[in-house]
Amino acid sequence: MADETSDELLPLDERIRLVELVDRVLDRGVVLRGDVIISVAGIDLVYLELRLLLAAMETLDRARGIEAD
Amino acid sequence: MGLYAYCVGTAAHPEPPILEGVEGAPVRFDQAAGFGIWVSDLRRAPAPTLDAVRAHNAVVEAATETMTPLPFRFGQWFESRDAFVRSIEERRAQLGRSLDHVADALEYGVRILDPQHQHGAPDRTSGTAYMEALATRARQDESDRARGREVAAALRARLGPLVRDERVRLVGAGTLASIAHLVARHDIGEYDRRIRSYPSERPELRFLFTGPWPPYGFAE
């Protein structure tokens, strides 16, 4: 299984893996009790956190691209 | 003390090594209804954060190293061990069937993207333009779903019996399909060789491969 690395240094394939991971862990898997599933608002918070993380990494990539130019 | 569950395996499933799970809680082995289960003792349901999601998956991946368990979805917390055991006992037959289905297999993900997909909000400069943009998008979505089904079927034909089971989701918005394949551990090498040769036949599309994963998509 893949090792976790610093978020800011994640290459593209690791970012894809992160998105796939969140999709799996929050949306699939055995549900024992519907009433203990985290709230929709809670799930939205995780996805918001993920989007912010990915947006931050894209900004970092653009900055690196400018430096490389 | 409440109990948080990560995954369930057979009674012969190995016990966890020294391992921290969600919110840094130690992971321990428990048994119920003849199953072996990896759990942590937690006073309350864990807050849903990206770190918690990663920690949950890290435990499930550790449990998948040598034998394949059924992963629980994030957030399966119970007020007491008794409540947890009752829930497992109520689902004993279904859990047993699902464990048999994923035995000695792992999940692989394939995401099929269309780089030519037109993203963006519909034109709102006029009512007519807006309605036409919505109609165009609806036609594109239907076309994407049809192409997603076609590519998923072609992949399945290429892989044949190497895929024990599959789940296909037609996502839309540039992702034609998101596919989960269940593959026996002893077939992983041949599966990998065959599936990675396929994208060269469809240069107009982009394929993203991930895995191995614990069988989240087949834990029903």
Side-chain angles (χ1 to χ4, degrees):
Chain A
M1 308 277 172
D3 295 330
E4 296 293 344
T5 57
S6 167
D7 293 339
E8 288 194 349
L9 299 176
L10 284 174
L12 177 62
D13 59 346
E14 283 298 306
R15 295 181 211 177
I16 293 165
R17 180 178 163 77
L18 183 58
V19 172
E20 295 279 333
L21 183 155
V22 170
D23 275 350
R24 280 174 170 77
V25 175
L26 290 184
D27 196 34
R28 302 175 216 176
V30 173
V31 176
L32 292 173
R33 284 175 51 188
D35 60 337
V36 298
I37 295 174
I38 54 177
S39 69
V40 171
I43 291 175
D44 284 347
L45 282 177
V46 179
Y47 278 109
L48 176 63
E49 196 179 351
L50 177 64
R51 283 197 297 273
L52 290 173
L53 174 60
L54 296 177
M57 290 187 294
E58 285 165 5
T59 302
L60 191 67
D61 276 354
R62 279 199 296 274
R64 284 174 179 156
I66 291 168
E67 285 174 10
D69 292 342
Chain B
M1 177 66 82
L3 187 146
Y4 182 83
Y6 301 95
C7 56
V8 55
T10 66
H13 203 92
E15 297 191 14
I18 297 173
L19 183 64
E20 287 187 353
V22 170
E23 298 187 349
V27 180
R28 66 174 179 81
F29 191 71
D30 206 334
Q31 289 186 306
F35 298 110
I37 304 158
W38 286 26
V39 301
S40 286
D41 297 307
L42 284 181
R43 291 190 183 282
R44 62 185 72 84
T49 65
L50 203 50
D51 283 344
V53 166
R54 284 170 147 163
H56 176 101
N57 182 64
V59 172
V60 178
E61 286 198 343
T64 310
E65 286 291 330
T66 55
M67 291 179 75
T68 303
L70 283 175
F72 289 125
R73 188 176 300 186
F74 180 85
Q76 299 301 299
W77 179 85
F78 291 77
E79 301 83 357
S80 69
R81 184 178 181 278
D82 286 348
F84 172 70
V85 170
R86 278 197 303 276
S87 181
I88 292 290
E89 287 175 342
E90 289 169 3
R91 291 160 180 76
R92 181 201 306 253
Q94 176 64 47
L95 290 173
R97 285 193 296 272
S98 295
L99 264 176
D100 286 345
H101 187 53
V102 303
D104 207 26
L106 297 169
E107 179 178 323
Y108 283 79
V110 186
R111 193 173 282 258
I112 304 162
L113 306 173
D114 178 5
Q116 306 303 317
H117 182 87
Q118 300 294 315
H119 293 276
D123 184 351
R124 292 176 183 270
T125 52
S126 74
T128 303
Y130 180 67
M131 295 306 292
E132 286 177 353
L134 289 183
T136 300
R137 177 176 289 180
R139 285 193 295 274
Q140 185 174 32
D141 286 347
E142 182 51 42
S143 169
D144 285 354
R145 283 191 289 272
R147 292 166 69 207
R149 280 191 288 268
E150 177 258 315
V151 178
L155 267 176
R156 185 63 191 266
R158 163 72 61 95
L159 298 165
L162 295 173
V163 172
R164 184 185 296 177
D165 196 4
E166 73 173 352
R167 297 286 182 274
V168 179
R169 293 197 302 171
L170 305 171
V171 180
T175 297
L176 300 186
S178 176
I179 305 170
H181 287 146
L182 186 65
V183 182
R185 290 179 193 253
H186 60 76
D187 285 331
I188 285 171
E190 180 62 11
Y191 168 86
D192 193 60
R193 189 187 68 75
R194 285 200 206 178
I195 200 164
R196 288 184 186 278
S197 69
Y198 185 74
S200 62
E201 297 177 18
R202 301 301 296 263
E204 79 280 15
L205 301 176
R206 186 161 181 223
F207 293 78
L208 304 175
F209 301 111
T210 59
W213 297 96
Y216 286 99
F218 303 91
E220 295 158 344

